């Protein structure tokens, strides 16, 4: 199914959804410190969403064999790549990095963004990984221009990661965003030279295309496992990970980030 192209009016609603997500992120960022539980961050996000007339996309989300996701945010600490479940008993510790992903429905449209934050003072290597992941997101956004394809966006991410000696998550991708949280196209963090090896489609970028780009960089090997909770994805070698995400629109004037405050 080809990506759904959005009208200018739809983009304005998506911009509002994205702003609400950005405000939730900002409120959580302020609360991050050693000792704070991931459940507390989750409560902050839910309050912001509801105060703005939005609803969380993840709460109750149950694709495939997954149990319904029980929270508003995913909170993934250190070697947890994505999809960590917030918990009262999981407190942040000095030196951790925490990846938080939030998506909301607002007036029928979705905004989706993720950030990875330091908790207190973090190691130099952790800082370097966070910076590289943000740089990869920026490179992929800059590649989101007319004349390019989804594969160019994917390659921008992997090139940026590889240059700094990091792996990317191969099985998890960004995705089209619109009335549903996951639409076409899939937006991978890498691209194989052989088309037959891919399960995803390449598309020419077009005005009105909207998708979430989400580089997930890994300091060690890119082999991943899912925990028994049915959600949390971790690196098998325990290495550190980082995840940043913005929802963007392709416009005549270039990429437009929809998930800014
Ligand atoms: Mg997301």
């Amino acid at each position: 199914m080809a990506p759904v192209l959005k009208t200018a009016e739809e983009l304005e609603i998506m911009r509002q959804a994205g702003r609400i997500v950005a405000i939730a992120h900002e409120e959580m960022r302020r609360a991050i410190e050693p000792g704070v539980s991931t459940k507390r961050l989750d409560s902050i996000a839910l309050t912001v969403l509801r105060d703005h007339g939005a609803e969380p996309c993840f709460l109750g989300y149950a694709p495939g064999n997954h149990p319904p996701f029980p929270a508003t945010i995913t909170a993934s600490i250190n070697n947890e790549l994505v999809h960590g479940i917030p918990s009262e008993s999981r407190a942040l510790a000095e030196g951790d990095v925490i990846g938080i992903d939030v998506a909301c429905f607002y007036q029928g449209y979705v905004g989706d963004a993720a950030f990875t934050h330091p908790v207190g003072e973090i190691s130099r290597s952790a800082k370097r990984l966070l910076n590289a992941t943000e740089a990869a997101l920026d490179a992929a956004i800059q590649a989101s221009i007319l004349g390019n394809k989804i594969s160019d966006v994917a390659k921008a991410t992997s090139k940026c990661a590889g240059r700094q000696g990091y792996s990317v998550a191969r099985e998890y991708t960004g995705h089209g965003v619109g009335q549903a949280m996951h639409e076409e196209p899939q937006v991978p963090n890498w691209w194989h030279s052989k088309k037959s090896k891919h399960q995803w489609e390449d598309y020419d970028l077009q005005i009105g295309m909207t998708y979430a780009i989400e580089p997930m960089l890994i300091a060690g090997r890119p082999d991943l496992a899912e925990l028994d909770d049915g959600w949390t994805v971790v690196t098998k070698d325990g290495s550190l990970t980082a995840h940043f995400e913005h929802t963007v629109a392709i416009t005549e004037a270039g990429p437009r980030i929809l998930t800014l405050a």
Side-chain angles (χ1 to χ4, degrees):
M1 205 173 72
V4 181
L5 304 180
K6 279 70 172 189
T7 64
E9 291 73 24
E10 288 179 297
L11 287 188
E12 285 316 307
I13 302 173
M14 289 185 66
R15 180 72 189 91
Q16 294 306 316
R19 181 172 283 131
I20 295 165
V21 161
I23 294 168
H25 273 295
E26 182 52 27
E27 289 288 314
M28 286 187 284
R29 191 188 62 75
R30 275 192 243 267
I32 288 173
E33 60 180 5
V36 169
S37 76
T38 51
K39 181 70 192 162
R40 170 79 192 120
L41 299 177
D42 186 65
S43 306
I44 290 170
L46 182 60
T47 301
V48 169
L49 264 48
R50 296 236 161 113
D51 282 354
H52 288 82
E55 282 298 316
C57 296
F58 299 156
L59 188 62
Y61 184 58
N65 297 324
H66 295 273
F69 194 81
T72 296
I73 67 168
T74 69
S76 311
I77 298 173
N78 297 337
N79 69 313
E80 298 167 356
L81 178 77
V82 285
H83 303 167
I85 300 174
S87 160
E88 204 77 70
S89 61
R90 189 79 191 274
L92 302 181
E94 179 84 18
D96 282 346
V97 299
I98 176 168
I100 301 176
D101 198 340
V102 191
C104 79
F105 288 112
Y106 178 74
Q107 295 187 4
Y109 289 84
V110 171
D112 188 359
F115 295 88
T116 300
H117 300 288
V119 181
E121 197 56 40
I122 60 172
S123 68
R124 195 183 303 178
S125 57
K127 265 181 213 162
R128 194 173 157 270
L129 175 67
L130 264 55
N131 289 341
T133 310
E134 251 190 310
L137 174 57
D138 192 48
I141 292 171
Q142 296 311 318
S144 295
I145 52 172
L146 292 177
N148 271 353
K149 294 170 177 283
I150 288 295
S151 53
D152 295 310
V153 178
K155 287 176 200 166
T157 302
S158 60
K159 203 171 138 190
C160 193
R163 227 175 11 225
Q164 305 212 46
Y166 298 118
S167 319
V168 295
R170 297 167 87 84
E171 302 94 327
Y172 295 87
T173 71
H175 46 89
V177 173
Q179 294 188 329
M181 180 164 58
H182 295 117
E183 298 183 345
E184 279 291 292
Q186 283 186 278
V187 186
N189 290 312
W190 65 292
W191 201 267
H192 203 285
S193 51
K194 287 205 187 76
K195 186 176 188 283
S196 58
K197 298 244 178 180
H198 285 297
Q199 54 182 344
W200 43 73
E201 285 280 322
D202 205 0
Y203 294 100
D204 290 321
L205 302 186
Q206 294 177 69
I207 291 173
M209 236 187 217
T210 48
Y211 51 73
I213 305 172
E214 40 185 326
M216 300 162 211
L217 268 58
I218 300 168
R221 295 192 52 78
D223 305 310
L224 304 172
E226 196 176 85
L227 299 185
D228 288 342
D229 63 18
W231 280 102
T232 313
V233 177
V234 298
T235 51
K236 282 188 181 170
D237 66 3
S239 61
L240 202 63
T241 67
H243 175 211
F244 285 83
E245 174 185 29
H246 272 305
T247 304
V248 302
I250 307 302
T251 78
E252 201 135 18
R256 181 180 178 200
I257 302 174
L258 299 174
T259 33
L260 296 175

